[in-house]
Amino acid sequence: MAETGTDILKAAQLLCEGKLVAIPTETVYGLAANALDADACLQIYKAKNRPAFDPLIVHVGDVASVPKYVMDFPEEARRLCERFWPGPLTVVLPKKPIIPDLVTSGNSSVAIRVPSHPLTQKLLDLLDFPLAAPSANPFSYVSPTTAQHVQEQLGDRIDYILDGGPCQVGIESTIIRFDNGKVEVLRLGGTALEEIENITGKLEKQLQSGSNPAAPGQLDQHYSPHTRFVLTDFNTLNTIPENCGFLRFQNPVPEMDPAHQWILASDGNTDTAARNLFTMMREMDARKFAVIFAELVPEEGLGPAVNDRLRRAAAQGLSPE
Ligand code: TXA
Ligand code: MG
């Protein structure tokens, strides 16, 4: 078991010693180490069972810190960061040599973001180095949105869990890459793409998958519960199968057992669906149903990002490449 608490001085001390600390962010909990210390970052890969080809996101305290770690900070990237930071946006930019190759899995670019959680902001303030942190879950499982989720899965492998309560956004950051004048979306996430495109104009998508080597790390099968996870249209589900769980967007189905139904957003808001998604997937997984049936949510706001996670969860059975 890892010690859990809100002691940022202790967290800072451990990080200075090259240890691992789980940190709260507004998106999901991260598993953090000193981003400038390759040995410390290697421990992240080990603790998560994460393949070496899957690079880490570097967390910094403010926009002004970015030029310390990147060769070039184009005006368009800066504008996005100033608009959405602190918040669920990650930008990928050409890295300076100070960022170890291990952090970027050998890529010449580094992913950077400023998280908005107040505890982690204070922690970054105390440190004179940035924090490399992937989501604090074993590789390919659902990301943690509470300190308890981290404890359950990685508690025996980390030194401290900084408890910042449940994550307010609930899904990972949106990732935008700036590469030689090209701007691309690598991952849909907690900042709605429409909002980003209001500033940049229409963007090309290079959504990450195992078959897309240009964008490492995100396999088709990701965010997977252990239970078989199937996407369905509940209107066409004629017979109600036994011992199954149902993940619905807004309304329960009256003829189904309420104890087998989870409602992502009774207010019909896709932000609420994002906030509840991973917690509900975990709760349902713990019930050991034969199958979890889920429906897609409306394609507005964070809807496309939620649907991306649902589709990847349903892609289990496809072998990761
Ligand atoms: O919201 C988030 O982004 C959370 C919190 C903890 O900040 N972090 C997170 O990290 O989701 P992770 O490791 O689960 O996902 C990071 C993904 C990688 O899988 C990879 O697809 C992409 O970010 N990435 C990281 N560095 C990259 C790079 N240099 N080039 C391209 N993609 C990169
Ligand atoms: Mg992850």
Side-chain angles (χ1 to χ4, degrees):
M1 292 267 288
E3 188 185 340
T4 300
T6 54
D7 187 345
I8 46 174
L9 288 177
K10 173 160 192 158
Q13 178 64 37
L14 288 164
L15 290 162
C16 288
E17 291 166 10
K19 305 256 173 65
L20 301 185
V21 173
I23 56 165
T25 84
E26 73 286 15
T27 59
V28 301
Y29 275 73
L31 180 57
N34 178 351
L36 307 183
D37 177 346
D39 290 338
C41 292
L42 182 61
Q43 301 313 312
I44 297 179
Y45 285 90
K46 284 193 182 153
K48 273 192 63 126
N49 245 335
R50 185 181 178 101
F53 60 75
D54 194 357
L56 309 178
I57 293 177
V58 171
H59 299 70
V60 296
D62 51 24
V63 182
S65 305
V66 173
K68 288 192 252 175
Y69 309 113
V70 307
M71 304 289 274
D72 181 32
F73 195 11
E75 192 42 45
E76 201 173 16
R78 187 184 286 274
R79 252 191 300 142
L80 273 194
C81 296
E82 278 167 359
R83 166 70 184 76
F84 294 107
W85 283 354
L89 170 74
T90 295
V91 292
V92 177
L93 297 164
K95 82 175 188 76
K96 281 193 173 156
I98 186 173
I99 299 287
D101 288 335
L102 184 90
V103 169
T104 63
S105 301
N107 282 282
S108 56
S109 296
V110 60
I112 298 200
R113 85 177 191 97
V114 175
S116 74
H117 195 289
L119 271 187
T120 294
Q121 286 242 320
K122 281 193 199 125
L123 177 64
L124 285 165
D125 251 8
L126 287 176
L127 301 171
D128 59 1
F129 50 81
L131 292 174
S135 51
N137 51 284
F139 184 65
S140 98
Y141 196 73
V142 177
S143 294
T145 51
T146 66
Q148 183 62 32
H149 294 162
V150 181
Q151 183 69 271
E152 282 160 14
Q153 292 190 301
L154 295 177
D156 58 342
R157 301 180 201 182
I158 52 189
D159 296 290
Y160 190 67
I161 301 172
L162 194 58
D163 188 350
C167 299
Q168 289 305 300
V169 176
I171 55 173
E172 303 84 349
S173 59
T174 303
I175 306 182
I176 308 287
R177 178 169 52 193
F178 295 82
D179 181 23
N180 264 324
K182 243 189 356 200
V183 188
E184 295 165 333
V185 188
L186 298 189
R187 179 173 74 185
L188 299 176
T191 301
L193 193 54
E194 298 144 54
E195 284 198 55
I196 293 173
E197 287 181 336
N198 279 342
I199 295 179
T200 58
K202 192 88 191 142
L203 293 181
E204 211 170 295
K205 293 200 185 95
Q206 278 283 351
L207 295 186
Q208 311 181 347
S209 75
S211 49
N212 179 5
Q218 218 178 348
L219 303 176
D220 299 328
Q221 178 198 343
H222 217 116
Y223 314 112
S224 300
H226 299 304
T227 312
R228 210 170 129 224
F229 194 90
V230 174
L231 290 181
T232 194
D233 174 353
F234 284 91
N235 296 317
T236 63
L237 204 65
N238 298 324
T239 50
I240 298 171
E242 294 273 309
N243 189 29
C244 290
F246 305 95
L247 183 60
R248 299 265 302 166
F249 174 55
Q250 187 174 9
N251 297 306
V253 185
E255 49 280 12
M256 287 182 189
D257 182 353
H260 285 208
Q261 296 189 63
W262 276 255
I263 306 301
L264 280 173
S266 47
D267 62 1
N269 188 326
T270 51
D271 289 2
T272 311
R275 189 176 314 125
N276 290 328
L277 180 68
F278 289 151
T279 298
M280 290 192 177
M281 281 167 80
R282 279 172 188 267
E283 283 171 11
M284 296 182 83
D285 209 14
R287 293 285 296 271
K288 304 217 179 324
F289 292 118
V291 183
I292 297 169
F293 289 97
E295 66 183 350
L296 294 175
V297 307
E299 286 277 314
E300 61 197 30
L302 296 188
V306 170
N307 287 339
D308 172 75
R309 271 78 182 159
L310 290 170
R311 289 198 184 92
R312 287 180 202 267
Q316 41 189 5
L318 299 179
S319 57
E321 291 143 74

